[in-house]
Amino acid sequence: MSEFIPHFNQQLGKITPSPIRQFDEDCTSIEGIIKLTLGEPDFNTPEHVKNAGIKAIQEDFSHYTINSGLIELREAVRDFFQKKYRVSYDPQGEILVTVGATEAYSASLLAILNPGDKVLIPTPAFPGYGPVITLAGAETIEIDTSNNGFVLSPDMIEAAMAEHGDQVKAIILNYPSNPTGVTYTRQEVIAIADSLRNHNIFVLSDEIYSELSYDDHHVSIGEFLPEQTILISGLSKSHAMTGWRIGFVLTRTAIAREIAKTHQFLVTAATTVAQKAAVNALTVGIDDGLVMKEAYRERRDFVFKEMTDLGFEIAKPSGAFYIFAKIPAGFPQDSLMFCQELANQHRVAIVPGSAFGVAGQGYVRISYAADMDKLVEAMKRLKAYIQSK
Ligand SMILES: Cc1ncc(COP(=O)(O)O)c(C=O)c1O
């Protein structure tokens, strides 16, 4: 037989590994480095949730669940979202339990996209969506929000729709935002919903940070635009459960039915033990996220003040656990160069803004989901770097 020459999915050739993980790994070899790179809570999963998981193992919850997830979990999801965000979804047909928010948005995008479709994404944006869009043969259209304090406006939506028209299949919203921490008021969400209602497109709204909104109560676009919205959420951030891999899709039955197909054939169902723990998180631990939020708020205030004093320009974040800061004049304006210099010379790793789209060039992202001692030391080192010039 002649030599085997593998030919892969051509779309994969257009995808590179996550730039955040890549930079994080590149910094690992620097001795004593403080990493403020990954978007991962430093808290551990609450004890009562862990105990629910242990109990589930002991009680032999070791079999598959139905594809859409345990009904008791879907009911808990309904109650949690109804109580917290005034959205109403039927556990019989409108809620899917997924493997993290990652599978929730991936299964959703694969269910709605055809080759040649376009997807609008306000940027800077979380870099997880683009590769899935590419895999589906569709195209990402970035809407640069950097001149508007990273806030998407109805005018921007109208301009993008006028330019790309019928080819647009969906828009992805993410608020509170990774990487900017920006979120939307009730009035802003209503204005965006009013604009999107005029267009025949899906609204994939990734609200995974909804429990981490500092000033106002989080407002879901699912409250105003349920016919078009695919609401994405999960327990990774609200309950410090990144490793349990539990996410949710909430959407109208006709849409959920199609997403259920991609979900079923990609993963069958989320892990049974994690689903049992998730029931406990959403019922016994309904307000667990609020305790963590107070700790994050204190850290945000600290990092925001330190960096502003050092000359960084920052739109004050009102949610999630990130600071997105403009690199001051006199420093490398290429965000990768800035981050490399900081990491190599002063042993602090933060993420280049360019990882979040063209609009992120000239910025850096700091994840402040780290303990205060670490943040204090990181700010000392950042100060030393800034003052060295
Ligand atoms: C905006 C956003 N969506 C989704 C995810 C992934 O969430 P999960 O761990 O539930 O897959 C992240 C993780 O950082 C995120 O920031």
Side-chain angles (χ1 to χ4, degrees):
M1 200 184 107
S2 57
E3 193 192 348
F4 168 61
I5 302 167
H7 294 283
F8 295 98
N9 180 333
Q10 287 179 352
Q11 294 304 111
L12 277 178
K14 302 175 189 165
I15 295 174
T16 49
S18 159
I20 303 177
R21 294 244 164 206
Q22 187 64 53
F23 188 73
D24 181 79
E25 275 167 34
D26 291 349
C27 292
T28 299
S29 58
I30 302 173
E31 216 184 303
I33 188 110
I34 295 180
K35 286 186 180 180
L36 303 178
T37 41
L38 298 185
E40 160 140 73
D42 61 314
F43 294 100
N44 291 321
T45 302
E47 285 300 317
H48 60 91
V49 179
K50 291 197 289 193
N51 288 334
I54 292 167
K55 187 161 173 276
I57 293 174
Q58 286 169 339
E59 291 179 356
D60 288 321
F61 281 93
S62 53
H63 304 273
Y64 294 126
T65 68
I66 145 173
N67 300 131
S68 54
L70 289 169
I71 184 62
E72 59 175 318
L73 176 53
R74 284 180 281 133
E75 284 171 355
V77 171
R78 171 199 56 200
D79 295 346
F80 184 89
F81 282 81
Q82 201 158 47
K83 181 158 189 266
K84 297 250 176 183
Y85 313 123
R86 301 191 210 169
V87 291
S88 168
Y89 290 96
D90 184 350
Q92 303 284 0
E94 296 191 324
I95 297 173
L96 299 174
V97 178
T98 57
V99 180
T102 303
E103 196 243 324
Y105 69 70
S106 302
S108 300
L109 289 167
L110 293 175
I112 65 175
L113 294 178
N114 287 308
D117 285 344
K118 294 183 175 179
V119 180
L120 304 179
I121 304 190
T123 58
F126 172 63
Y129 315 122
V132 185
I133 293 167
T134 302
L135 203 54
E139 187 189 345
T140 298
I141 305 293
E142 298 191 14
I143 302 179
D144 183 344
T145 62
S146 57
N147 287 332
N148 196 40
F150 305 121
V151 174
L152 176 74
S153 69
D155 286 351
M156 293 178 196
I157 296 171
E158 296 307 329
M161 288 307 299
E163 188 178 343
H164 299 282
D166 289 349
Q167 288 170 291
V168 178
K169 184 57 108 28
I171 184 168
I172 299 182
L173 306 178
N174 166 227
Y175 66 98
S177 154
N178 173 8
T180 65
V182 161
T183 194
Y184 293 90
T185 64
R186 191 167 192 81
Q187 288 318 312
E188 285 169 334
V189 174
I190 291 173
I192 290 172
D194 285 345
S195 162
L196 291 171
R197 190 172 290 113
N198 298 323
H199 302 287
N200 192 32
I201 61 173
F202 290 98
V203 179
L204 198 139
S205 191
D206 180 348
E207 301 178 20
I208 184 94
Y209 294 99
S210 58
E211 284 294 278
L212 302 178
S213 175
Y214 298 119
D215 304 325
D216 298 316
H217 203 73
H218 177 79
V219 180
S220 175
I221 196 160
E223 185 185 340
F224 307 105
L225 205 58
E227 302 75 23
Q228 285 166 256
T229 300
I230 301 171
L231 177 54
I232 303 295
S233 193
L235 298 182
S236 290
K237 319 291 170 168
S238 62
H239 289 75
M241 289 177 68
T242 45
W244 295 78
R245 311 305 301 128
I246 291 290
F248 311 118
V249 174
L250 299 93
T251 188
R252 289 294 173 247
T253 310
I255 306 173
R257 199 186 297 126
E258 299 307 307
I259 299 172
K261 294 181 194 167
T262 47
H263 165 71
Q264 171 173 4
F265 292 111
L266 283 170
V267 302
T268 304
T271 308
T272 305
V273 167
Q275 291 192 51
K276 291 294 278 186
V279 174
N280 180 281
L282 289 177
T283 52
V284 180
I286 186 166
D287 286 329
D288 282 354
L290 305 186
V291 179
M292 298 180 214
K293 182 167 81 172
E294 287 321 307
Y296 290 135
R297 185 202 300 276
E298 196 186 322
R299 300 167 189 183
R300 174 201 64 173
D301 291 344
F302 170 71
V303 176
F304 178 75
K305 179 167 185 323
E306 291 287 310
M307 291 188 68
T308 307
D309 288 351
L310 291 176
F312 287 88
E313 207 182 290
I314 305 165
K316 192 171 183 180
S318 45
F321 38 61
Y322 307 103
I323 292 239
F324 204 65
K326 193 165 177 34
I327 301 168
F331 292 86
Q333 291 299 302
D334 179 278
S335 50
L336 179 60
M337 271 177 64
F338 179 93
C339 291
Q340 283 170 336
E341 211 170 89
L342 177 66
N344 290 325
Q345 295 176 9
H346 293 270
R347 296 175 299 137
V348 181
I350 58 179
V351 180
S354 50
F356 306 96
V358 180
Q361 186 55 277
Y363 292 82
V364 289
R365 187 194 78 173
I366 290 91
S367 167
Y368 55 83
D371 69 49
M372 254 313 200
D373 291 349
K374 219 168 160 187
L375 292 174
V376 168
E377 179 59 27
M379 289 301 116
K380 261 194 215 154
R381 294 183 188 183
L382 181 62
K383 189 171 182 177
Y385 171 55
I386 296 292
Q387 291 180 343
S388 69
K389 297 274 173 176

